[in-house]
Amino acid sequence: MPPIGDLLWTTLAAFLTFCIFSFLYKDNPFYKFAEHLVVGVSAGYFAMLLWYEGLIPKLYVPILKEGKLYYLIPGILGLLMWTRFSRKWAWISRYPIAVYVGIGTGVAIPLEMQTKVVRQLSASMTAISLNNATGINNLLVVIGVFCALVYFFFSKEHKGAFGGIARFGIWTLMIGFGAGFGLTVMGRVSLLIDRVKFLAETWWPMFKAFVGAVF
Amino acid sequence: MAFYEKLMGLDRRWVYLCVGIAVLIPFFIPFDVPVYTTPEVKAVYDFMESLKEGDVLFLAIDYDPNAMAELHPTATVMMRQAFSKNVKLVISALSQNGPGMAEQLIAQISKEYGKKSGVDYCYLGYKPYPGIVILAMGQNFRIPFPSDYYGVPLDSLPMMKNIKNYDDVKAVIDVTGTNAIDYWLVNGNARYKVKLAAAVTGVMAADYYPYLQSGQLFGLLSGLKGASEYEVLANQKGFAFSGMRIQTVAHIVVTLFIVIGNIGFFMARAGKRRS
Amino acid sequence: MQNKSRALTIAVLLLLPAILLAQDTLQSQTVAPAPPAEVKAFDTPNDNGHSITITWKLSADDGAGQNSVTMYEMLRAESPDGGFISRGVVAAGVSTYDDKGDKDKASQNYFPSGKNFYYKVRAKVGDIFSESEVAGPASAIGQWYHTGKTIVLAFVVIFMIFVLIFIRQAQKGKELYVRPIGGIAAVDEAIGRATEMGRPILYVMGLGAPNDIASIASYTILARIAKKTAEYQTPILVPCNDPIMMSIAQETVRTSYLDAGRPDTYKEENIFFVTSMQFAYVAAVNGIMLREKTATNFYLGKFFAESLILAETGSVAGSIQISGTDEVAQIPFFVAATDYTLIGEELYAASAYLGREPLLLGTLKAQDWAKGLIMALLLFGALAASLHWDFFVRLFTVRL
Amino acid sequence: MRQQLPLAIILVIGVFMALQYFVPHESSEFVYEWSLDWVIIIGVFAMALGLWSMFVVHYTKIQKKSSGWGFSVIAILGLLYMLIAGGIWGIEEGTPFMDFFWYVYTPIQATMFALLAFYIASAAYRAFRVRTILSTILLVAALLLMFRLIPIGPLSGPIQELDRWILGVPNLAAKRAIIIGVGLGIVATAVKVVLGIERSYLGKD
C-alpha cells in the first residue's frame, strides 16, 4: 500500500487533470473549479517567488546587509507604483513606468538591430551558384527572403511586377507557416502522451494498490 | 442539412474524441505500424550487424538525464544489439550529469546478457573537457582514463589488453544531447579518422545532416524517430516504437480530418455549381 | 563556507586535466614534444578589462611530427622569473586562449584589472611537456567602445536618419500612402459587430514582459481600439498577466476614453490582473471568453504555446478574432485559427495605421527604406560571398 | 510635470541604455546589471497592485453574489493559502507551499498544455481547405511535414528528403524575412517611444 500522503496528493493531481480535460466537452463546474484554483495558487506562487527571489536579494540584502544605499532609488521608484491605489496621485506612477519603459526600449534598439537584423542579414550572405545543390538552395533562400521582405512593404501598392514579387513572398511565408504547423503536431501529441502516462502509469497503479489494500 | 455540410461543419468535439482515441488505443493496445527506416539509420544498423564476435565498438553515452526520453532508447537498443552479437564495448559518458544514468543502463543490460565489466565491456565514465578527453583518447585511452569508472586500472582489464586508442575500435557511435558530437567530429573524426556515427535529439538533428552528406558521419539517428526506426531494424520494439506508434496514428487522424474537411468543401462547391 | 567549496571545485576543474594527465602511466611516449613558439600575451580587446589573451604558434608535434601533443596548458605569474600557476587548458590544434576572470573583487576567480602578468604555454602529452618562452608583461584594460559592434551602430544611425527625414516630410504635411492590411481594415468591422450584438470586446496583450517592445506596440494599438470602443459605447475587457502591463493598460484606456469625450463610461475594473503564470492565465482567459460571450477577441503582442488554446476557444465561442505577434513559431497557429493575423512587422505598423498620425506614418516609410537597403545588401552580399569578397561579408559579422 | 517629465525620463534613459550597449567597459556593465535590478524591483512592488486588482475582482463577484461567485471564493482561498504557506514555511522543496505547486499548479498547467494536441487537430481540420492558393500552400506544406511520421510505402523516402528541403530552404527564408521585418518594427517602435512620438500608453490629463 502506497504512503497515504502521496496517494492523496497524486489523486488530487489526477482529479485536476480530468477537470481540465473536461473543458474539451464544454465549460463546466469542474473546469471552473480547477481554473479558479490554479489562478489563485499561481498568483500566490509568483508573488512569493518575487518576494523571496526578488525583493530580498535585490533590495533587502543590498541596502540593509551590504549597505548599498543607492539601491534605495529603485526601491523608491517601486513604492511610487503604489500611488496607483489613489485616483488623485495615480499620475505619479508614470515615473517608475517611464523608467521601466525607458530601460526596455533603450536596450532593445541596438540589441534587436544586431540579433534580428544584422545577424540574419549576414547569415544570408552565403555563396550562391547554379551548379551545385547547396549553391542553388542558398540562391533560393536569398530570393525567398527578398520577396518576403517585399511583401512587408507598407508604403507601396502591391500591384504590377512589385505585386507579383510580393505574392511570391507571401507564398514563401505560407510554406513556412504550413511547415511550422506540421512540424509541431508531434510535439503537441507527446504532451498529451505524457499526461496519459501520468494517469495510467503513476496515478492508477498507486490508486489500485490502495484500493486492493483496503478491500 | 446536406452530407457535405455535415462534413464541413463537424462539431469539433468529434475531432477531439478521435484524437483522444487515436492516442489512447495505441497507448494501451500494442500493435504494429510500418515504420519507414531512413538510410542514415539503416547505415548504422547494417554496420553494427557487420561486426563480428570479439570486435570492439566505442559507444559514447554523452547525454544528460534531461535528454533521456529521446536518447535512452537508442543507447539501450544499440547496447543490446552489440552484446547479443558478443561485440565488446568501450563506453564513455562525457556529459557532466550523465555517468550515473549511463552506469545504471550498463548494469541493467549487461545483466540481461550476462556480460562482465572488464571482459565484455569497459565503462570509462566521465572526465571534464570533452574536447581534450576525446583528443587524448586518440593517443591512448589511458591518458584521460588511467582506470575505468569503477577505479580498476585499464591495464589490468583483460579486454583492454591490446586496445590502445581509436585504431583498435571499429567505430565510435556518439549518443548525445550536447555539443560533444562537435568535439567527436573535430578531435575524433577529423584528427584521427575515427569512423563516426551519431544519435542526437530531434532539435539538433537538422544541424548535423550536412556532416552526413560530407561523409564525416556514416549514420545519424534523429531523436525518438531515429530510435524507433532502429528498434524496428533491430527487431526489439520498445519505448521509442510505442511512442512512434501513437504519433503515427495521431498524425494519420489529423491528416484524415484535413481530407474530410476538403471533401466536404469540394462537395459544397459542386453543390453550389449545380444550383 | 559555501563560497570556499565552490572555489575549491573551480580550482579542481581548472587543474583536473593536469591532474588526470599527471596520473597517467604509459610507456609509449617518452619524448617531450616541441615547445609552442612565438607566444604573445596582450589585453583582450573589446572586453570589460578582466581578461588577457594569449596566442602562440602550434608545437611542431601538434598534428605533425610525432603528432603527440594532446593539449596546451597556460601558466601565469606576476614576475617573469617564477611562481607560475596553471590558468587553464585547451585542446591540441588550438593556438589562442583568453585568460579571463570575474570583475567582482569578492569572487575567488577575480582577475585584477591593469595589473602586469607574465605567461608561458606548455605543450603537453600525458605528464610529459615542454614549455615556451615567457611572454609579457601584459595587463587587462577595459575598453570604452566595442569595435566589433560598429556595423550595428551604423545600422542604427542610418535608420535614425531615415526616421528623421520622413518625420520631417510628414510635418511638412506630405501625404504618405500606406497599403491596406486586412487585419487592420477589419478592426472597425469587428468592433461594430460587438456593438450590434451588445457584447463586450476582449483584448489580450500576450505574455511578454511589460517592456517588451511587442507589449508596447500592443498598448499603442489598445489606445486606438479603446478610443473606438469608447465612441461605440462597447465595453472592452483587458485581462492582464502582469501588474505593470495592467497599470499601463489602465492609463491607456482611460486616456482613450478621455479623448473620445466619454471619461464617465471608463470602467477601471474591466482592465484587471489575472495571474502571471502562462497556463493559469490562459485557463482564466478561456473562461472569460465563454462566460462573458465576447463578440470580438484581439490577441496582439507576444504569444507562446498558448496562442492556439486562445484562438480555438475563441472560435468555439464564435468570436471574431484578430491576432498579431512577432513570435515566428506562433504565427502559423494564429494564421490557421483566427480570422485575421498581423504577421510580424505588421504588428508594429498597426498603431500607425489605426492612428493615421503623420508622424507615425512617417516612421513606416523609414522602415520601408531600411527594408530596401537590407534587400540591396542581401543581394550584393550573396554576390560578394560567391565571388569570395570576404571583406564585404566580414563587414556584416558582429564580433561579440 | 505630469506629461513632459516622464517623456524626458524615457528619452534620457532610453538613449543612455542604447549607447551603453556599445561600451564593454565594466562601469557600463555595472549600469546595465543595476538597471536589470531596477526592473525587477519595480516589478516586485507592482505585484501588490496585481494582487489587489485580483482580490477586488473576485471580492466584488462574491459581494454581488454574481453567477459563479463560489468559484471566486476558491480563487481567493488558493491565493491566501500560497501567501500564508509561503510566508510561514518558506518556498523550499518539500514545504506545503511547494506541495501545492507540484500537485495543483503543475498538473493543471501540463494538462492545459496537453489540450494543444486536440486543438491542433481541430484547427487543422477547419483551416486547411483548398479555398485559395494561399490556404492550399499552407495545407500542402503542413501535410508534407506530417507525412514524415506516416508510413506511405515507397513515397516515404522522397518525402523525408523533401521535408528536409522545405525546412532548410523556404521555411528558413520565411523565418528570416519575418525576423528582419520584426527587428525593424521593434527598433522603429522603440525609437518612436524614446523620442516621445508614441506616447498614448503614458496617459494624460
Side-chain angles (χ1 to χ4, degrees):
Chain A
M1 180 169 152
I4 193 75
D6 290 8
L7 177 73
L8 289 178
W9 280 122
T10 315
T11 308
L12 173 64
F15 170 70
L16 292 171
T17 303
F18 285 120
C19 289
I20 296 296
F21 275 137
S22 73
F23 183 73
L24 287 169
Y25 180 67
K26 65 198 274 280
D27 189 22
N28 65 73
F30 289 102
Y31 176 77
K32 285 182 192 166
F33 169 78
E35 171 205 325
H36 285 80
L37 183 62
V38 77
V39 163
V41 167
S42 61
Y45 173 79
F46 195 72
M48 287 326 262
L49 219 61
L50 281 181
W51 179 272
Y52 283 105
E53 314 289 338
L55 192 69
I56 292 184
K58 297 292 178 195
L59 201 59
Y60 174 80
V61 172
I63 293 176
L64 295 168
K65 286 275 192 316
E66 299 166 355
K68 295 180 182 167
L69 290 181
Y70 54 84
Y71 267 80
L72 284 170
I73 303 169
I76 290 161
L77 280 172
L79 276 170
L80 288 183
M81 281 306 287
W82 288 358
T83 57
R84 294 198 62 78
F85 282 116
S86 111
R87 260 265 127 266
K88 187 159 175 295
W89 300 106
W91 61 271
I92 297 177
S93 67
R94 287 174 195 166
Y95 295 146
I97 289 177
V99 171
Y100 200 95
V101 171
I103 293 172
T105 46
V107 170
I109 291 172
L111 191 62
E112 300 287 354
M113 189 61 97
Q114 178 219 319
T115 56
K116 295 218 162 63
V117 179
V118 178
R119 185 184 292 167
Q120 292 300 322
L121 177 59
S122 66
S124 314
M125 292 184 175
T126 47
I128 55 175
S129 92
L130 294 173
N131 44 32
N132 68 65
T134 341
I136 294 170
N137 283 341
N138 291 343
L139 176 62
L140 291 174
V141 170
V142 171
I143 295 173
V145 176
F146 186 91
C147 298
L149 282 175
V150 167
Y151 164 80
F152 281 113
F153 264 75
F154 299 111
S155 61
K156 201 152 163 33
E157 217 168 337
H158 285 181
K159 61 176 189 209
F162 190 81
I165 299 173
R167 202 167 307 109
F168 184 81
I170 186 77
W171 289 355
T172 316
L173 292 181
M174 283 300 160
I175 298 177
F177 297 156
F181 194 107
L183 195 65
T184 316
V185 176
M186 182 175 177
R188 299 309 185 227
V189 170
S190 29
L191 291 169
L192 180 53
I193 297 176
D194 290 345
R195 285 329 280 163
V196 177
K197 267 202 161 65
F198 163 73
L199 290 174
E201 292 169 5
T202 309
W203 171 69
W204 181 246
M206 212 184 233
F207 188 71
K208 215 165 71 212
F210 170 77
V211 174
V214 173
F215 308 105
Chain B
M1 179 159 161
F3 174 63
Y4 61 78
E5 285 168 332
K6 284 207 189 66
L7 280 187
M8 282 177 75
L10 201 58
D11 184 333
R12 69 193 72 220
R13 278 175 281 195
W14 291 112
V15 183
Y16 300 158
L17 183 66
C18 296
V19 173
I21 294 169
V23 169
L24 287 179
I25 290 181
F27 184 90
F28 289 107
I29 307 162
F31 58 85
D32 269 15
V33 293
V35 169
Y36 170 80
T37 51
T38 48
E40 58 268 26
V41 175
K42 185 126 186 350
V44 183
Y45 173 77
D46 292 343
F47 168 79
M48 291 282 275
E49 282 303 298
S50 74
L51 296 176
K52 288 176 259 22
E53 177 154 1
D55 284 349
V56 182
L57 180 78
F58 193 108
L59 183 63
I61 303 183
D62 302 339
Y63 56 93
D64 287 355
N66 57 28
M68 252 174 111
E70 273 192 279
L71 296 174
H72 232 45
T74 310
T76 313
V77 61
M78 284 185 171
M79 216 179 280
R80 286 219 176 94
Q81 187 186 11
F83 281 155
S84 64
K85 296 174 62 56
N86 295 320
V87 169
K88 298 186 186 302
L89 290 177
V90 180
I91 305 164
S92 71
L94 299 182
S95 171
Q96 203 160 13
N97 309 320
M101 172 196 69
E103 204 276 335
Q104 289 175 5
L105 185 70
I106 296 165
Q108 172 209 333
I109 295 180
S110 56
K111 186 150 2 75
E112 287 175 22
Y113 291 84
K115 299 294 185 184
K116 279 177 213 53
S117 172
V119 184
D120 309 293
Y121 66 91
C122 168
Y123 179 36
L124 300 170
Y126 170 79
K127 285 282 192 309
Y129 297 98
I132 293 166
V133 173
I134 291 165
L135 199 67
M137 286 194 293
Q139 292 294 323
N140 189 320
F141 292 133
R142 292 158 184 77
I143 296 178
F145 296 102
S147 54
D148 70 4
Y149 180 79
Y150 312 95
V152 186
L154 256 52
D155 293 310
S156 68
L157 298 177
M159 143 176 184
M160 298 301 282
K161 274 281 170 300
N162 28 31
I163 297 178
K164 183 181 165 207
N165 54 30
Y166 299 134
D167 304 341
D168 309 310
V169 303
K170 292 286 177 216
V172 173
I173 296 180
D174 184 27
V175 188
T176 184
T178 72
N179 64 345
I181 177 63
D182 300 327
Y183 293 118
W184 278 111
L185 282 163
V186 177
N187 296 352
N189 174 276
R191 177 79 181 267
Y192 293 107
K193 311 285 165 292
V194 179
K195 191 171 165 60
L196 183 64
V200 298
T201 59
V203 283
M204 288 168 70
D207 308 342
Y208 291 94
Y209 282 112
Y211 295 102
L212 204 59
Q213 278 129 28
S214 65
Q216 288 159 276
L217 294 173
F218 74 88
L220 181 62
L221 280 70
S222 149
L224 206 57
K225 188 165 181 303
S228 68
E229 292 176 29
Y230 205 96
E231 286 184 349
V232 172
L233 285 168
N235 194 12
Q236 13 170 313
K237 293 169 184 158
F239 174 78
F241 179 77
S242 56
M244 254 329 116
R245 177 174 57 225
I246 301 173
Q247 291 288 358
T248 304
V249 177
H251 278 71
I252 292 174
V253 167
V254 176
T255 316
L256 282 181
F257 272 110
I258 296 176
V259 173
I260 292 170
N262 283 286
I263 293 174
F265 177 70
F266 275 117
M267 290 170 72
R269 198 152 44 172
K272 279 198 200 67
R273 285 227 189 73
R274 252 185 266 102
S275 55
Chain C
M1 179 55 228
Q2 195 209 2
N3 245 345
K4 207 170 258 129
S5 64
R6 207 202 297 111
L8 200 67
T9 42
I10 291 172
V12 171
L13 277 181
L14 280 173
L15 299 175
L16 228 165
I19 297 167
L20 66 90
L21 294 181
Q23 310 166 336
D24 141 52
T25 55
L26 45 345
Q27 302 74 15
S28 47
Q29 285 97 5
T30 40
V31 210
E38 297 172 26
V39 178
K40 293 185 188 62
F42 52 89
D43 169 42
T44 308
N46 297 323
D47 74 336
N48 63 357
H50 296 279
S51 166
I52 291 178
T53 301
I54 305 106
T55 63
W56 59 91
K57 195 160 152 298
L58 292 181
S59 152
D61 294 321
D62 182 343
Q66 307 171 27
N67 186 20
S68 58
V69 175
T70 54
M71 62 188 273
Y72 294 99
E73 182 176 14
M74 261 51 58
L75 298 97
R76 185 181 79 183
E78 298 181 9
S79 92
D81 2 284
F84 281 89
I85 52 153
S86 172
R87 288 293 296 175
V89 293
V90 291
V94 182
S95 64
T96 171
Y97 179 79
D98 284 358
D99 179 22
K100 57 161 74 79
D102 296 350
K103 62 171 179 282
D104 142 33
K105 283 195 177 51
S107 157
Q108 303 290 341
N109 190 24
Y110 172 63
F111 192 114
S113 201
K115 187 169 175 201
N116 278 338
F117 286 111
Y118 298 83
Y119 286 88
K120 55 185 176 183
V121 182
R122 279 179 183 169
K124 305 187 67 162
V125 44
D127 58 350
I128 310 154
F129 61 82
S130 57
E131 284 186 352
S132 71
E133 310 283 304
V134 174
S139 61
I141 297 136
Q143 281 70 34
W144 286 98
Y145 175 71
H146 194 302
T147 53
K149 291 176 174 176
T150 306
I151 182 67
V152 179
L153 184 62
F155 268 79
V156 172
V157 169
I158 295 172
F159 187 75
M160 293 297 274
I161 292 171
F162 284 156
V163 170
L164 296 176
I165 291 175
F166 288 104
I167 285 178
R168 221 133 222 3
Q169 285 195 359
Q171 281 166 332
K172 289 214 196 84
K174 191 162 179 301
E175 257 316 309
L176 291 169
Y177 167 88
V178 287
R179 75 168 164 91
I181 294 180
I184 295 169
V187 167
D188 284 332
E189 170 207 340
I191 298 174
R193 179 168 177 271
T195 319
E196 287 160 22
M197 302 170 86
R199 298 218 207 124
I201 289 169
L202 178 73
Y203 191 97
V204 181
M205 295 185 292
L207 284 92
N211 56 3
D212 273 343
I213 310 301
S215 313
I216 293 176
S218 189
Y219 311 139
T220 62
I221 302 170
L222 173 61
R224 320 289 179 210
I225 290 178
K227 193 150 178 286
K228 292 187 163 66
T229 60
E231 288 155 2
Y232 286 106
Q233 288 297 293
T234 306
I236 180 165
L237 305 176
V238 187
C240 306
N241 82 307
D242 179 282
I244 296 183
M245 277 174 123
M246 176 191 74
S247 312
I248 298 178
Q250 286 171 342
E251 278 298 311
T252 310
V253 175
R254 201 173 55 79
T255 313
S256 304
Y257 275 68
L258 222 62
D259 296 346
R262 299 195 170 276
D264 47 314
T265 55
Y266 164 68
K267 287 204 193 57
E268 182 151 298
E269 63 268 26
N270 283 352
I271 297 111
F272 54 94
F273 174 77
V274 180
T275 173
S276 304
M277 315 271 289
Q278 185 180 18
F279 285 102
Y281 174 78
V282 175
V285 174
N286 276 355
I288 294 169
M289 287 183 201
L290 295 181
R291 288 158 218 154
E292 306 293 334
K293 308 221 168 359
T294 56
T296 303
N297 302 344
F298 293 96
Y299 314 116
L300 299 169
K302 229 177 191 25
F303 288 87
F304 303 98
E306 72 281 357
S307 60
L308 186 59
I309 302 184
L310 295 172
E312 274 300 294
T313 316
S315 77
V316 171
S319 326
I320 282 194
Q321 308 195 86
I322 298 177
S323 60
T325 184
D326 63 351
E327 274 297 310
V328 180
Q330 298 309 323
I331 298 173
F333 303 107
F334 273 150
V335 168
T338 63
D339 301 287
Y340 302 94
T341 306
L342 301 179
I343 300 167
E345 191 178 3
E346 292 174 345
L347 172 70
Y348 295 97
S351 84
Y353 267 80
L354 293 165
R356 288 279 156 191
E357 292 157 29
L359 289 188
L360 298 180
L361 292 175
T363 51
L364 279 187
K365 190 93 177 146
Q367 274 163 263
D368 282 358
W369 274 73
K371 273 196 286 287
L373 175 66
I374 285 164
M375 284 153 64
L377 289 170
L378 189 69
L379 298 180
F380 196 74
L383 199 66
S386 330
L387 300 174
H388 303 295
W389 297 350
D390 300 345
F391 74 92
F392 185 82
V393 180
R394 235 181 289 111
L395 203 61
F396 291 88
T397 43
V398 180
R399 301 184 309 280
L400 293 173
Chain D
M1 187 64 182
R2 295 177 168 215
Q3 187 75 38
Q4 297 313 321
L5 192 53
L7 288 174
I9 294 176
I10 291 179
L11 178 63
V12 172
I13 294 187
V15 170
F16 183 84
M17 292 310 284
L19 293 178
Q20 177 277 336
Y21 165 89
F22 296 97
V23 181
H25 196 275
E26 64 183 294
S27 48
S28 140
E29 273 186 349
F30 167 80
V31 172
Y32 178 67
E33 284 154 18
W34 192 34
S35 75
L36 294 184
D37 290 351
W38 286 39
V39 170
I40 295 170
I41 292 166
I42 295 176
V44 174
F45 282 93
M47 196 60 195
L49 293 167
L51 295 182
W52 176 247
S53 156
M54 177 184 173
F55 181 79
V56 169
V57 168
H58 291 292
Y59 182 73
T60 33
K61 275 215 185 101
I62 297 167
Q63 212 178 18
K64 292 190 187 144
K65 294 268 184 294
S66 49
S67 71
W69 63 272
F71 296 110
S72 294
V73 176
I74 292 163
I76 291 182
L77 288 179
L79 172 64
L80 292 179
Y81 172 85
M82 291 306 266
L83 294 182
I84 295 165
I88 296 173
W89 295 289
I91 62 171
E92 288 69 38
E93 283 302 329
T95 55
F97 178 84
M98 283 315 276
D99 285 343
F100 253 59
F101 176 76
W102 286 120
Y103 294 104
V104 174
Y105 176 75
T106 314
I108 292 180
Q109 75 96 24
T111 315
M112 284 302 295
F113 207 173
L115 291 181
L116 281 167
F118 300 93
Y119 289 160
I120 206 168
S122 74
Y125 162 68
R126 284 181 303 103
F128 294 159
R129 305 267 164 96
V130 287
R131 219 178 273 108
T132 64
I133 305 172
L134 291 186
S135 60
T136 311
I137 296 175
L138 198 67
L139 161 74
V140 172
L143 280 181
L144 284 174
L145 263 291
M146 283 192 258
F147 276 150
R148 77 194 196 292
L149 290 161
I150 302 175
I152 34 180
L155 280 180
S156 288
I159 291 229
Q160 306 271 352
E161 289 298 320
L162 184 56
D163 286 345
R164 247 176 249 162
W165 181 82
I166 291 178
L167 292 175
V169 178
N171 175 58
L172 179 69
K175 278 212 176 86
R176 276 208 185 131
I178 294 174
I179 293 175
I180 291 175
V182 165
L184 292 175
I186 288 180
V187 176
T189 309
V191 168
K192 279 185 271 183
V193 169
V194 171
L195 298 183
I197 301 171
E198 182 66 81
R199 57 177 72 174
S200 48
Y201 62 93
L202 254 190
K204 64 161 182 255
D205 38 18

